[in-house]
Amino acid sequence: MIQVEHLTKRYGLLTAIKDVTFEVNKGEILGFLGPNGAGKTTTMRILSGFFPATEGKASVAGFDVFEEPLEAKRRVGYMPENPPLYTEMSVDAYLKFVATIKGIERGATTARLEGVKERLGLQGHGERLIKHLSKGYRQRVGLAQSLIHDPEVLILDEPTIGLDPRQINEFRELIRSLRGERTLILSTHILPEVSMTCDRVIIINGGQIVAIDTPQNLTSQMGRGERIKLEVAGSVEGLPSLLHEIPQVQNVLISEATNGHHPVTVEADGQAEIRHLVSQKVIQAGLELYQLRTEAVSLEDVFLKLTTEEATEEAVEEVAKGSEGEAE
Amino acid sequence: MRNYLAIVKKEMHTLFVSPIAYVVLAVFFAVSGYFFYIITSSIIQRVMEMGFRSQQFGSAPPPIDVPAVILGNYFSVISTILLFLVPMITMGVFAEEKKRGTIELLFTSPLTNLQLILGKFTGMMLFLLIMLLPTILKSFLLYLYSEPKPPLGPIYTGFLGALLLGGALLTIGLFISSLTENQIVAATLCFGVFIILWVVDAVAGAGTTVGNEALRYLSIMNHYEDFTKGVLDSRHVVFYVSMIFLGLFLTSVSLNSAKWRA
């Protein structure tokens, strides 16, 4: 449904995205994950036809966004990070205007308008001026705008930004209700959102894709390591050496005691169950054990690992270059 | 076509919900009305004085076409007021869309540049028409109370001239507004350009070199004079229509290049 090949976008000297290639299948929900300035918005703007790419190709629903922009745009609903609202218009007037410029037949406009308003809980707000609506409702109008022409592809740039927790939940419900009928790309830096709603995730950093996979695969790949969290009381000096007797244990971190209890983190390679061995070692050290639990690696860890590793590598390269320069 | 009409309607809506439109209309009506009064009364007074004088000397009064003189002066005043008010109308056309991000909606909708630009231009021309309507009413008042009836020609050509001049100014403003996302910057640049186009005539002076001729040709007011005298010269119509096309074309280029640079 969406094909992106070797997409590069440069703003003057700055390269916003570099050689981005991916594909989204029909009915799939793709999460676009990355720190601020990673190139999420740039990629989405190219796909929505807002501006052309410097190099590479992108097509939506079989239409190249650059060669046949009008056909592609008819099939895409796009909600930018800031909903593009004419705040001095009423909700109805605004949505009618959008319906017209998106090419909906005159006869079908009212039906589409009512349908979208019902889906987004905007009934009864049609007469209100957009400038009098709360942030949450404005966001809904923004989403209504992207759905009004019943597009095959929906591109949402940080759709939950600025919403309160209840609204975020409602919003996720809504996204889930769109599953299957539409192909959806949504960008976010809120990680639970991705693991909850998306079929696949693209992690982008510094304008380049660093990972594409399902949330499950990403976490299990990264999650080979395991973390065991302990809470112990007593004198902890001997604990690390005892714990290191367990072959799977890679690292032991002991934090300052609060109320006499030390939080301890044990990092293991995750090859085998070691919780019982850990508890034995704690008792052996003469400590009181208050808590023992494993912590699954979350998408957050994957994200942080991938996006910071990149940064570190770059830093290393920079340093290498710097020293070369000095050598010359 | 529906897209184009939707943009026209939206543009009118945007203009008329903002206070700017009402301020511009009010200022225009007040200032042009005041000048109409001043011009009419001063010319009538002068004519009467001349009448008295000629009676004293026992000669016939010099023939003066009072309605034509009034209209000529009045339409020149209108053109000057337009120079000051058009930047107010055009400053937000694209600048506001950019600033508020609604340009993203327009650029990601299946609209062509032509529909977008012509739609916005038409919306503003309709606004200009509303602004100039009382002008034509005033001219007809003059016609009604004149004895003998003056020719209607100068009223029509004056009105057409004001529309053409206004249209040319609007497209220049449209183009300038597409260059920035700041309304004040757009308005200021627009003033600057208008003032240059206005005084370029004086700069050219009476010289007869090619350069002077060219400068005189560029003066946006120079071409307007004949309209106020009731002369419809195709050269002037061509000048304004080409200015309008140039402005629209430059706007289109500017929007496209903004997409590439953005």
Side-chain angles (χ1 to χ4, degrees):
Chain A
M1 188 51 71
I2 300 174
Q3 254 137 16
V4 173
E5 287 165 40
H6 307 296
L7 219 53
T8 298
K9 175 77 183 176
R10 278 188 285 270
Y11 305 111
L13 290 174
L14 186 90
T15 305
I17 57 169
K18 199 172 147 192
D19 201 21
V20 167
T21 301
F22 65 89
E23 231 182 76
V24 192
N25 303 319
K26 194 171 162 58
E28 210 177 13
I29 300 183
L30 177 84
F32 226 58
L33 212 59
N36 289 326
K40 293 175 298 214
T41 301
T42 303
T43 313
M44 293 184 141
R45 282 181 158 180
I46 293 170
L47 282 175
S48 64
F50 179 70
F51 52 42
T54 316
E55 280 161 37
K57 276 177 69 173
S59 70
V60 172
F63 294 97
D64 188 298
V65 292
F66 188 58
E67 303 289 336
E68 293 169 283
L70 296 186
E71 289 303 319
K73 285 173 187 175
R74 271 190 199 111
R75 290 163 178 81
V76 177
Y78 173 54
M79 176 156 102
E81 199 174 333
N82 298 309
L85 306 172
Y86 292 106
T87 47
E88 71 285 353
M89 284 188 177
S90 72
V91 173
D92 278 352
Y94 172 71
L95 290 177
K96 271 183 197 152
F97 168 67
V98 178
T100 313
I101 61 171
K102 298 282 181 185
I104 297 180
E105 296 298 315
R106 201 182 298 270
T109 307
T110 320
R112 285 298 311 159
L113 183 71
E114 290 308 317
V116 163
K117 271 160 66 185
E118 196 186 324
R119 176 157 228 170
L120 293 167
L122 285 167
Q123 307 107 308
H125 289 82
E127 299 293 309
R128 293 185 64 185
L129 293 184
I130 294 175
K131 64 178 166 193
H132 295 150
L133 295 178
S134 67
K135 173 84 185 157
Y137 272 100
R138 286 184 192 202
Q139 205 80 1
R140 289 184 202 200
V141 178
L143 196 61
Q145 164 272 126
S146 67
L147 280 168
I148 193 138
H149 53 305
D150 202 11
E152 296 166 49
V153 173
L154 204 54
I155 300 175
L156 310 175
D157 197 355
E158 312 233 349
T160 53
I161 217 162
L163 297 183
D164 66 36
R166 195 176 51 86
Q167 290 168 329
I168 290 181
N169 259 333
E170 283 175 10
F171 195 81
R172 285 190 196 134
E173 280 305 311
L174 186 83
I175 300 290
R176 263 174 271 183
S177 77
L178 296 171
R179 188 189 291 275
E181 8 168 345
R182 289 190 178 79
T183 308
L184 218 143
I185 298 187
L186 68 98
S187 80
T188 179
H189 43 229
I190 305 167
L191 294 138
E193 205 159 271
V194 172
S195 32
M196 273 185 236
T197 48
C198 298
D199 303 317
R200 273 200 307 152
V201 182
I202 288 183
I203 298 181
I204 184 167
N205 192 34
Q208 280 172 305
I209 292 181
V210 288
I212 312 184
D213 217 325
T214 61
Q216 292 77 15
N217 280 350
L218 280 176
T219 46
S220 65
Q221 270 172 23
M222 292 289 149
R224 254 177 247 124
E226 183 184 21
R227 250 185 250 157
I228 299 169
K229 295 268 186 184
L230 303 171
E231 199 182 310
V232 299
S235 72
V236 290
E237 289 83 45
L239 188 60
S241 56
L242 275 170
L243 283 173
H244 276 295
E245 285 172 13
I246 307 168
Q248 287 86 352
V249 170
Q250 291 169 330
N251 201 6
V252 177
L253 291 165
I254 300 177
S255 310
E256 281 298 301
T258 49
N259 305 329
H261 292 192
H262 290 275
V264 180
T265 306
V266 179
E267 287 176 7
D269 62 9
Q271 305 292 348
E273 178 64 84
I274 57 164
R275 275 179 292 179
H276 57 295
L277 299 173
V278 171
S279 72
Q280 280 169 16
K281 294 292 177 192
V282 172
I283 305 300
Q284 207 180 322
L287 297 167
E288 296 159 10
L289 180 61
Y290 288 91
Q291 196 186 51
L292 187 154
R293 62 188 164 87
T294 53
E295 199 173 67
V297 177
S298 67
L299 199 54
E300 200 149 349
D301 301 311
V302 180
F303 174 72
L304 284 173
K305 188 150 188 255
L306 285 172
T307 52
T308 46
E309 247 173 28
E310 192 84 352
T312 341
E313 268 170 34
E314 266 169 32
V316 170
E317 268 173 41
E318 292 280 301
V319 172
K321 269 185 211 157
S323 54
E324 270 170 35
E326 273 162 38
E328 281 165 23
Chain B
M1 194 61 192
R2 273 190 73 212
N3 283 347
Y4 161 73
L5 289 177
I7 299 284
V8 174
K9 202 174 138 197
K10 195 235 99 200
E11 208 49 42
M12 292 292 281
H13 183 270
T14 308
L15 273 171
F16 277 102
V17 290
S18 84
I20 298 174
Y22 296 100
V23 173
V24 167
L25 284 181
V27 168
F28 183 78
F29 293 160
V31 175
S32 66
Y34 178 70
F35 272 103
F36 186 70
Y37 168 74
I38 295 281
I39 292 167
T40 310
S41 58
S42 70
I43 286 178
I44 288 177
Q45 203 180 350
R46 229 171 51 218
V47 168
M48 278 162 69
E49 277 168 13
M50 283 201 287
F52 284 135
R53 217 169 296 151
S54 51
Q55 263 178 356
Q56 277 174 348
F57 296 108
S59 59
I64 294 183
D65 186 354
V66 175
V69 174
I70 293 177
L71 274 184
N73 279 306
Y74 178 55
F75 276 114
S76 326
V77 168
I78 294 281
S79 66
T80 314
I81 308 174
L82 281 181
L83 282 182
F84 286 91
L85 291 184
V86 163
M88 301 293 136
I89 307 173
T90 58
M91 63 181 181
V93 190
F94 281 107
E96 266 301 280
E97 303 263 14
K98 286 189 190 177
K99 188 158 213 163
R100 293 215 239 151
T102 43
I103 197 87
E104 287 200 67
L105 171 67
L106 299 177
F107 279 179
T108 58
S109 295
L111 285 173
T112 60
N113 259 358
L114 191 70
Q115 289 166 340
L116 181 60
I117 294 169
L118 277 186
K120 282 182 172 290
F121 175 63
T122 313
M124 289 188 303
M125 277 307 273
L126 288 176
F127 181 79
L128 184 71
L129 200 65
I130 293 169
M131 208 159 110
L132 291 175
L133 269 185
T135 303
I136 207 163
L137 289 181
K138 267 177 268 182
S139 317
F140 276 115
L141 271 181
L142 198 69
Y143 174 80
L144 275 182
Y145 289 102
S146 299
E147 201 56 54
K149 295 288 174 228
L152 282 169
I155 299 182
Y156 296 140
T157 55
F159 189 67
L160 178 71
L163 271 184
L164 283 172
L165 170 72
L169 295 177
L170 282 177
T171 55
I172 296 172
L174 193 73
F175 166 58
I176 290 173
S177 184
S178 73
L179 297 173
T180 168
E181 57 168 38
N182 186 319
Q183 288 201 60
I184 307 297
V185 170
T188 313
L189 277 177
C190 205
F191 270 133
V193 172
F194 286 0
I195 289 170
I196 288 171
L197 287 177
W198 189 21
V199 300
V200 83
D201 191 33
V203 173
T208 49
T209 64
V210 181
N212 288 356
E213 290 287 338
L215 282 181
R216 243 197 313 276
Y217 182 76
L218 276 179
S219 163
I220 202 153
M221 288 306 184
N222 217 348
H223 294 271
Y224 182 67
E225 250 177 61
D226 275 352
F227 286 103
T228 66
K229 291 175 189 151
V231 180
L232 188 60
D233 188 332
S234 59
R235 277 179 308 169
H236 303 316
V237 177
V238 167
F239 173 79
Y240 284 126
V241 172
S242 1
M243 285 288 277
I244 290 173
F245 274 108
L246 179 70
L248 295 176
F249 172 72
L250 287 177
T251 311
S252 173
V253 171
S254 148
L255 286 187
N256 277 334
S257 86
K259 282 187 199 176
W260 282 100
R261 273 186 286 110

